[in-house]
Amino acid sequence: MAERLEAQQRTNRGLSYRMFGEIADPADGPDDPALPAEVKVRDLLWARLRITRGEIRRRFCVAARIRPRRTLTGPTLPPELPALGAAVEAGDVGEDHITAVTRALDELPAAVSSADRDDAERRLVGYATKQDAKFVTVIGNKIADCLNPDGNFTDEDRARRRSLVLGRQRADGMSRISGFLDPEARAYLEAVTAAVRPGHRLPETPAGRAADERDTRSSAQRCHDALKRALRYGISSGKLGTHRGVPVTVIVTTTLGELDQAARAICDPGVEMPAPARTGGGSRLPMRDLIRMAAESMHYLAVFADHSARPLYLGRSKRIATTDQRIICYARDRGCTRPDCPESGYRSEVHHALDWARGGTTDADNLFFGCPPDHAAATRGDYLTTVTKEARLAWSDGTGPPRVNHIHHPEELLGDEEDP
Ligand SMILES: [Zn+2]
């Protein structure tokens, strides 16, 4: 019974990929926002299937590689990976096999001939129909060693493999980072790490401690401090340009009460340190770090009256109206305002609640954050948006009452005013 269920599941997965292949736009620009039809289909799938946009994109990508390729003109082309496509269609391989085979083929260097590549695909799929995905990965590594015994990799191979993944912030405020640096990035990191050699450039020298005091940092800690130092200098140089109209810098929001309490806590150990402030990326920044950062370079700091969206103070290096309005969006909305959308402020655009074309002004009370797909959907009229009396943007798709997004306001998620 278990075997039959597994086979059934694999057959269904094959049918799913066939369906994704059928509905994909033949003009096939995976992330091209200029294709409203495809964007519409993706939005529809996302809303109806309740799977993530990333998963939808992944299924379209796999379908595009294992299904026959349609062209706008001319005949249908065979799939890029015909052997894998046939095995998926027959229900002989599972999702983990598909991942193992495509990853092994993608790892092959660009210098490998297409005949060798096709042969490798057939062999990998052959093993995938008889063994588990782990075994397929091992075989994939062996094939790569065989086809590229001298380890010849081109610049394109390296460009394809470079990656840096910033993990989610843990409860203690730390974040795991992992990935692969290309030789140039490594050269830079080595250079800045060498500059924080033992005994030099302590990250911070608290009062009463000499700068030449013995440095007890491990090499891993020095590498971390070097990267932090390089990023800080990069940001304070002001040469990183602008991001959506605001100079690239750290944006932090807090309330006056918390800032005041933090300032007292630093001087008086009897005062409790308030909860961390929030960055435009949606992460938590301890108040002690915020005050130190604000003292040494120009970041954007928005301070709010307690329990309200009324800005009291905007610290900034230069006064630009649009910049101020965007910072108010960071502070009030923290991220996309569509209900249940988790996109952070750094990834949001400014949406005019009352459309510009219909007489909307650019006053901050009329401007709200929306991530690019939601902003586009609201502009198209897929949603009706209204401003609540708390000066928040409420969205409705016509099937229910307008709702505001609580995702970026965890204190509201646990409130009992509204069901999720
Ligand atoms: Zn959104």
Side-chain angles (χ1 to χ4, degrees), residues 46 53 335-344 347-348 369-375 395 405 408:
W46 168 75
R53 291 182 196 275
C336 179
T337 51
R338 183 185 58 75
D340 307 326
C341 181
E343 291 292 1
S344 73
R347 303 175 74 162
S348 292
F369 267 158
C371 67
D374 289 333
H375 184 195
W395 297 54
N405 194 4
H408 306 290

Side-chain angles (χ1 to χ4, degrees), residues 20-221:
F20 272 79
E22 297 288 323
I23 60 182
D25 192 301
D28 185 50
D31 279 313
D32 191 350
L35 290 172
E38 166 144 349
V39 170
K40 203 112 191 177
V41 166
R42 285 178 185 217
D43 278 353
L44 211 62
L45 287 168
W46 168 75
R48 295 282 285 272
L49 305 185
R50 278 175 284 117
I51 55 180
T52 63
R53 291 182 196 275
E55 171 65 12
I56 290 172
R57 201 158 45 232
R58 192 194 66 78
R59 288 191 197 176
F60 272 120
C61 281
V62 172
R65 298 181 77 178
I66 65 173
R67 296 289 310 164
R69 284 169 287 181
R70 288 182 290 164
T71 49
L72 281 174
T73 54
T76 308
L77 299 170
E80 179 199 340
L81 304 173
L84 183 61
V88 172
E89 188 78 17
D92 288 338
V93 292
E95 198 68 74
D96 44 354
H97 290 117
I98 298 174
T99 308
V101 171
T102 51
R103 190 170 290 167
L105 291 172
D106 292 344
E107 284 284 298
L108 291 178
V112 170
S113 74
S114 63
D116 281 346
R117 204 174 278 272
D118 293 347
D119 188 41
E121 186 209 342
R122 274 193 299 277
R123 281 172 198 279
L124 287 167
V125 171
Y127 282 110
T129 57
K130 296 184 193 71
Q131 303 277 355
D132 68 12
K134 211 166 182 177
F135 188 88
V136 174
T137 301
V138 172
I139 294 291
N141 292 337
K142 297 245 182 275
I143 289 177
D145 290 346
C146 228
L147 290 177
N148 186 30
D150 306 327
N152 285 330
F153 292 100
T154 62
D155 288 346
E156 292 87 70
D157 293 329
R158 280 186 283 271
R160 194 150 40 92
R161 281 166 203 192
R162 75 194 193 286
S163 68
L164 207 57
V165 180
L166 184 59
R168 63 179 286 271
Q169 194 176 28
R170 304 191 313 177
D172 60 1
M174 306 298 281
S175 311
R176 171 171 283 278
I177 190 167
S178 60
F180 289 97
L181 297 181
D182 65 13
E184 183 187 348
R186 188 192 166 94
Y188 293 142
L189 188 59
E190 279 175 348
V192 286
T193 306
V196 277
R197 65 190 184 277
H200 287 259
R201 312 215 168 181
L202 288 167
E204 60 209 272
T205 311
R209 202 171 137 190
D212 56 355
E213 194 176 316
R214 212 172 88 79
D215 185 356
T216 54
R217 288 178 293 175
S218 69
S219 60
Q221 285 168 338

